[in-house]
Amino acid sequence: MADILTIHGGRALRGQCHVPGDKSISHRAVMFSAIADGRSRIRGFLDGGDCRATIHVMRGLGVRVEERSSTDVVVYGVGLHGLQEPADVLDCGNSGTTIRLLTGLLAGQSFNSILNGTEQIRRRPMGRIVDPLRLMGAQILGRQGGRFAPLALGASKLKAIEYTLPVASAQVKSCLILAGMYTNGLTIIHEPGPARDHTERMLQAMGVPIQTLGRTVHSERPEEPLKPLDITVPGDISSAAFLLVAGTITPDSQLTLLDVGINPTRTGIVDALSEMGAKIRYRDEGEAAGEPIANLVVETAELRGTTFGGERIVTMIDELPILAVAATQARGRTVVRDAQELRVKETDRIATTVSELRKMGASIEATDDGFVVNGPTPLYGATVSSHDDHRLAMALTIAGLIAKGGTTINKAYVTADSFPGFEATLRALGAVVQENTESRSEGEA
Ligand code: S3P
């Protein structure tokens, strides 16, 4: 893994490739098959740091997980009530999905557990899961009254609640769906926006009686054991997004991205780029793991500035750093609003995206809940930092593909959190991306 990446732009990108398996689906597949009855097989598993953390914690709970290869995983399910008290603190690494979903799964168990993670995880808000879980009767202690990890969960009997999520968050929704499966009633969750629904789809496929009625999800204790999974995880549209923007803004390019998940709760970025003028087509639509998939074809296009806000933001929340890169090449003003959630991701992505793109010459301003970009502006090679944020590292790499002069990205090893092989994939498509280990001071050209 590279400490730093150096990118020399100006090359057309052409060809076809797969992107790694979907991160959200990979986490859920391991977690849910752990509480199924029997053996599950998960192919196309995302071999990244976050999903490895989920395997690690499920093992800590007494689940046998066999890695036939780094992307082919077998989970020996222990049943809904078969998890065991962990002998140690469960280390969720850098993964928000792991700690938030797992807290829901463990809050209603008959044993105690402690969840922790990296320094970055300990800064991310946990009150959003702790508050409703406490309403369900969960015993949870955490720093600052439970607002931050580490979280200590005491054995508890949970009761069903009706709850309106204060933010549109799939992690919080999924946490409560899982907790709801350990109560004797009907847990009713109202969501303010269309957060990704992979939990609902996968649990339904496993026989759990989850119901979705508009923006309301019902969760209850399953009468029958969960059926094991045998799935191939679709390619991650959040990873594909970097290549969609690369294919759009680099001259004379055409790319085909194979077997990418196009779940409508995730395709906000395709809609947004298309509205800006991008040429993206779906080919050979099909299904994998109960999710819609397609091959995505993208070619170079001229973009125009556009305004994005409201409830659609949740369907492209992870793609906003790369959307900012696209906006630097769009004619006119691009405005992203209602995206305050960006401030509590792996980094404050409003602050980090703005500060790093500015070093490259972008005209981008932060607002409280998003950013404003004026374009098009030429970008210039600079030395920038990922701030240990995988999506920022990749967004800056794509910016480097159209910059004049070389771009150096410090702390670039984080790309492997969600897109192992990112650099090699870009090289195979024609980009000049060098990986090395000597770091530079930031701001240097
Ligand atoms: C995820 C949900 C989103 C997303 C994250 C993955 C999930 O987070 O940003 O990368 O797998 O449920 P929030 O639930 O905090 O919006």
Side-chain angles (χ1 to χ4, degrees):
M1 262 182 289
D3 288 338
I4 69 166
L5 287 184
T6 310
I7 300 112
H8 294 280
R11 296 279 196 97
L13 301 181
R14 301 191 85 87
Q16 64 175 37
C17 66
H18 277 98
V19 294
D22 187 278
K23 183 148 86 77
S24 296
I25 297 174
S26 295
H27 280 299
R28 287 159 171 80
V30 168
M31 235 180 251
F32 303 167
S33 48
I35 53 165
D37 270 23
R39 203 184 76 148
S40 289
R41 179 99 184 248
I42 305 155
R43 295 178 180 85
F45 179 78
L46 173 60
D47 175 27
D50 284 12
C51 293
R52 301 244 137 250
T54 293
I55 291 186
H56 170 78
V57 293
M58 295 324 292
R59 284 181 174 145
L61 290 160
V63 180
R64 186 170 150 216
V65 183
E66 213 174 82
E67 292 166 69
R68 302 226 163 140
S69 77
S70 60
T71 58
D72 183 356
V73 174
V74 175
V75 180
Y76 294 84
V78 295
L80 200 57
H81 299 284
L83 297 174
Q84 284 164 26
E85 182 165 271
D88 202 348
V89 171
L90 296 169
D91 182 0
C92 302
N94 216 12
S95 172
T97 306
T98 308
I99 194 165
R100 294 202 179 107
L101 269 61
L102 210 69
T103 303
L105 181 62
L106 297 183
Q109 300 289 339
S110 56
F111 54 76
N112 304 325
S113 50
I114 302 176
L115 295 108
N116 200 5
T118 59
E119 192 259 329
Q120 227 177 44
I121 275 292
R122 294 195 299 273
R123 272 191 271 127
R124 296 182 68 182
M126 295 298 149
R128 54 181 61 193
I129 53 167
V130 169
D131 293 346
L133 288 173
R134 281 180 176 158
L135 293 175
M136 296 175 85
Q139 311 281 331
I140 308 182
L141 294 175
R143 280 190 308 125
Q144 297 192 26
R147 288 175 54 223
F148 297 99
L151 299 175
L153 316 184
S156 306
K157 280 220 175 317
L158 300 185
K159 58 175 188 290
I161 57 167
E162 178 162 1
Y163 190 73
T164 301
L165 302 180
V167 285
S169 159
Q171 292 177 357
V172 181
K173 174 174 64 168
S174 303
C175 166
L176 300 182
I177 290 173
L178 291 168
M181 288 164 52
Y182 290 87
T183 69
N184 283 326
L186 183 68
T187 293
I188 303 174
I189 306 155
H190 303 288
E191 46 173 345
R196 62 194 69 188
D197 64 357
H198 306 301
T199 296
E200 298 89 309
R201 285 173 186 255
M202 194 178 285
L203 287 175
Q204 272 161 1
M206 298 173 85
V208 180
I210 306 281
Q211 276 196 48
T212 304
L213 309 150
R215 291 282 156 74
T216 300
V217 183
H218 289 180
S219 168
E220 59 190 316
R221 177 188 295 274
E223 298 278 324
E224 302 291 328
L226 274 66
K227 290 190 275 229
L229 294 171
D230 186 357
I231 58 167
T232 299
V233 177
D236 197 328
I237 191 160
S238 295
S239 297
F242 298 101
L243 301 176
L244 291 177
V245 172
T248 298
I249 65 177
T250 56
D252 300 320
S253 295
Q254 188 179 45
L255 300 176
T256 302
L257 314 175
L258 303 167
D259 301 326
V260 179
I262 52 164
N263 178 317
T265 60
R266 297 288 299 283
T267 46
I269 185 64
V270 175
D271 301 338
L273 289 170
S274 302
E275 276 170 53
M276 293 173 80
K279 294 181 187 155
I280 302 171
R281 280 166 293 148
Y282 293 166
R283 288 262 172 84
D284 306 314
E285 291 186 42
E287 211 190 271
E291 299 271 348
I293 58 167
N295 297 334
L296 270 49
V297 182
V298 61
E299 59 192 275
T300 310
E302 299 268 311
L303 298 178
R304 48 187 176 270
T306 308
T307 294
F308 303 105
E311 61 175 42
R312 67 187 299 190
I313 288 293
V314 70
T315 68
M316 54 176 165
I317 190 74
D318 291 339
E319 291 69 67
L320 293 175
I322 188 62
L323 186 76
V325 173
T328 68
Q329 303 311 300
R331 187 161 302 282
R333 175 176 289 232
T334 298
V335 180
V336 170
R337 59 168 77 109
D338 303 318
Q340 51 275 33
E341 275 294 299
L342 281 181
R343 296 215 180 262
V344 291
K345 294 295 178 187
E346 282 81 336
T347 59
D348 173 345
R349 284 188 177 150
I350 295 178
T352 52
T353 302
V354 167
S355 76
E356 299 311 300
L357 282 179
R358 274 193 181 184
K359 289 179 189 166
M360 299 181 72
S363 168
I364 177 167
E365 302 283 338
T367 59
D368 287 349
D369 63 349
F371 48 79
V372 178
V373 183
N374 282 300
T377 45
L379 298 183
Y380 298 96
T383 298
V384 290
S385 172
S386 74
H387 294 261
D388 275 324
D389 184 332
H390 53 127
R391 301 207 196 276
L392 185 64
M394 291 186 276
L396 294 168
T397 304
I398 303 306
L401 297 178
I402 51 156
K404 295 193 171 64
T407 300
T408 299
I409 302 175
N410 284 330
K411 300 187 178 182
Y413 43 78
V414 280
T415 57
D417 280 0
S418 60
F419 198 151
F422 174 66
E423 300 81 3
T425 300
L426 281 178
R427 276 197 294 271
L429 298 172
V432 180
V433 181
Q434 287 159 1
E435 301 172 55
N436 34 48
T437 48
E438 153 215 341
S439 80
R440 291 249 212 126
S441 44
E442 279 148 44
E444 248 175 72

